[in-house]
């Protein structure tokens, strides 16, 4: 998978982008397992992408649900057994 960031919010530590092979939009944020830092990617549709790009409050609501692992069904890459926690 090749993830290309389109929008980065450094203050809230998340990004929006598109996976180039599939054209799937995503939201991502950094995660740390204590051994390695990585990003988790959650699939979103084009409407969500546009809304999140222009509405920070809406984006943060979704990102925080993902950070609490409430949206795991949207994970684009399933984590291993030593899953990290959102940074």
């Amino acid at each position: 998978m090749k993830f290309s960031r389109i929008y980065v919010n450094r203050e809230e530590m998340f990004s929006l982008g598109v996976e180039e092979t599939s054209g799937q939009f995503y939201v991502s944020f950094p995660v740390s397992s204590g051994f390695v830092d990585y990003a988790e990617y959650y699939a979103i549709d084009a409407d969500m992408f546009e809304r999140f790009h222009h509405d920070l409050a809406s984006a943060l609501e979704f990102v925080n649900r993902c950070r609490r692992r409430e949206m795991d069904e949207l994970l684009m890459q399933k984590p291993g057994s030593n899953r990290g926690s959102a940074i």
Side-chain angles (χ1 to χ4, degrees):
M1 292 185 166
K2 182 161 175 33
F3 297 98
S4 294
R5 289 185 216 143
I6 296 172
Y7 170 79
V8 176
N9 186 307
R10 294 192 190 288
E11 184 175 312
E12 300 295 341
M13 298 179 64
F14 75 91
S15 65
L16 301 171
V18 64
E19 195 285 313
E20 291 185 8
T21 304
S22 66
Q24 176 68 60
F25 292 101
Y26 69 82
V27 62
S28 70
F29 52 87
V31 175
S32 179
S33 71
F35 295 106
V36 65
D37 294 340
Y38 62 97
E40 288 189 344
Y41 296 87
Y42 291 78
I44 59 174
D45 62 28
D47 291 336
M48 292 171 80
F49 176 85
E50 285 300 318
R51 184 172 71 245
F52 294 167
H53 192 214
H54 300 289
D55 181 357
L56 179 59
S58 180
L60 283 176
E61 180 182 333
F62 181 82
V63 169
N64 286 330
R65 288 187 70 200
C66 293
R67 287 176 174 149
R68 291 189 304 264
R69 300 182 178 177
E70 295 173 6
M71 306 299 289
D72 281 0
E73 68 275 8
L74 300 177
L75 277 165
M76 295 175 73
Q77 296 175 314
K78 303 305 178 199
S81 60
N82 188 17
R83 184 175 182 185
S85 299
I87 296 174

